[in-house]
Amino acid sequence: MLATFLIGLREGLEAALVVGILIAYVTRLGRRDVLPRLWVGIGLAVALAVAIGATLTFGSYTMTFQGQEILGGTLSLLTVAMVTWMIFWMQKTARHMKRSLEGGLDRALAVGSLWALVAIGFVSVAREGVETTLLLWSMVQSFGDAPAALAGALLGLGLAVVLGWLLARGMLKLDLRRFFAWTGGFLIIVAAGVLAYAIHDLQEAGVFPGPFTAAAPVDAATGAVLVGWAAFPFGWAFDVTAAIPPGSVLATVLQATVGFMPRMSWIQVVAWVLYVGIVGAVWARKQFLAPAKPAATASTPSPEPSAAEPAALSSSKPVLSSQGEA
């Protein structure tokens, strides 16, 4: 529940802020008459995410074991790619997101098309919705505990809606720059775990060589797959199932937070280390070594508000302190 709760909270808060920016801007323009069209687009985006999740969940039951493993592994790889892209996209474009959303609304209102406004609402929310669905589905596949994972996600999404409403009303102060920064770092670890499990699925299906295929190095005397350095590169890197039984509370917590499994192949370990090392280093460089922007003062006009800045949702109620500027 912890991992899916944090994912639901982060992704839900992103979507809530986007919706809040759109509604606040339309209201400020005195065009509340177009709000139903925006809500139709937002509703369609939510329906798409739910439909994708239902299709993946129930559609996989009709497939063979190998087909399920190939589907799960492939979609998990797609999820890792999407999450990685979204982490850096948010890091790069959050400052200009509000301007971009309002510009899209201006163009849609100028055209006066019903479908243009519906499309604005749909596209603005669908990205987070589809990403969240794929990520949660991949995690459910790896944890094997759908009720707990779903409960955590729903709690996170529910809290995100409440926080988004409080921020929009100016009733809550939250340093969203730090929130999205540190949850972005957490998502890198989660994505590394999803990547490791994707490789596990594809190894079980025989797509990648590994402990389940003929390429596995085995002990000549016992026929068991080797463990340790002698097993490199297609055997088990380690096997601590005796100390940490699969399915135990400790194993579940470790897998949900850092992607650790009691028994992992060398390809899984190498992929996890490379992903965290490369993606984490790029994220940290952009996060901590990028030139700092001067903070706005009371006597100096503030730059274009960040999309992650709840003050953008209310023209009269700033809710972030100066250090919260994205």
Side-chain angles (χ1 to χ4, degrees):
M1 287 182 66
L2 173 63
T4 55
F5 170 80
L6 290 174
I7 290 169
L9 176 60
R10 177 196 161 89
E11 301 299 323
L13 191 53
E14 284 185 25
L17 290 172
V18 168
V19 172
I21 289 171
L22 293 174
I23 293 175
Y25 187 60
V26 167
T27 303
R28 216 157 47 233
L29 292 177
R31 293 297 308 273
R32 295 184 64 89
D33 58 296
V34 303
L35 282 178
R37 305 178 190 181
L38 281 177
W39 282 114
V40 168
I42 293 167
L44 289 174
V46 174
L48 174 64
V50 173
I52 290 175
T55 301
L56 293 175
T57 301
F58 299 108
S60 62
Y61 291 148
T62 63
M63 303 176 68
T64 64
F65 173 79
Q66 185 179 28
Q68 291 181 24
E69 298 301 289
I70 292 175
L71 175 65
T74 303
L75 288 177
S76 293
L77 292 178
L78 175 62
T79 301
V80 172
M82 287 186 63
V83 170
T84 306
W85 177 78
M86 281 295 292
I87 289 171
F88 292 114
W89 179 85
M90 189 68 178
Q91 195 177 47
K92 179 181 179 181
T93 64
R95 174 174 293 272
H96 311 292
M97 188 188 298
K98 176 176 177 288
R99 184 188 310 165
S100 176
L101 288 170
E102 292 182 352
L105 269 177
D106 286 336
R107 290 189 293 272
L109 290 171
V111 172
S113 168
L114 166 66
W115 292 109
L117 289 164
V118 171
I120 288 289
F122 176 80
V123 173
S124 300
V125 178
R127 179 172 48 215
E128 282 83 5
V130 173
E131 177 196 3
T132 304
T133 297
L134 289 177
L135 185 55
L136 292 176
W137 185 82
S138 298
M139 296 185 73
V140 168
Q141 291 296 108
S142 61
F143 300 157
D145 191 353
L150 181 60
L154 291 177
L155 287 173
L157 291 170
L159 180 58
V161 171
V162 173
L163 290 177
W165 183 81
L166 292 175
L167 291 169
R169 302 292 296 177
M171 300 168 63
L172 177 68
K173 294 182 179 181
L174 179 65
D175 190 338
L176 290 171
R177 180 182 64 84
R178 293 184 180 180
F179 173 81
F180 285 117
W182 290 110
T183 53
F186 169 75
L187 278 181
I188 291 175
I189 303 297
V190 171
V194 174
L195 174 61
Y197 200 84
I199 291 174
H200 175 273
D201 280 350
L202 294 174
Q203 284 182 315
E204 278 194 318
V207 176
F208 291 165
F212 310 102
T213 67
V218 297
D219 185 286
T222 64
V225 178
L226 294 176
V227 178
W229 286 110
F232 187 84
F234 300 131
W236 298 112
F238 58 83
D239 185 349
V240 294
T241 52
I244 308 177
S248 64
V249 174
L250 179 58
T252 302
V253 170
L254 289 175
Q255 185 172 344
T257 52
V258 299
F260 172 86
M261 287 171 270
R263 186 171 65 171
M264 297 179 69
S265 69
W266 273 111
I267 298 181
Q268 287 179 277
V269 172
V270 170
W272 191 97
V273 171
L274 288 177
Y275 181 87
V276 171
I278 296 173
V279 177
V282 175
W283 171 83
R285 180 177 179 274
K286 291 179 178 292
Q287 188 66 40
F288 301 112
L289 300 182
K293 301 290 183 182
T297 63
S299 59
T300 305
S302 175
E304 175 69 23
S306 164
E309 193 173 328
L313 309 186
S314 173
S315 59
S316 62
K317 297 180 180 178
V319 294
L320 282 186
S321 56
S322 60
Q323 69 267 27
E325 180 184 17

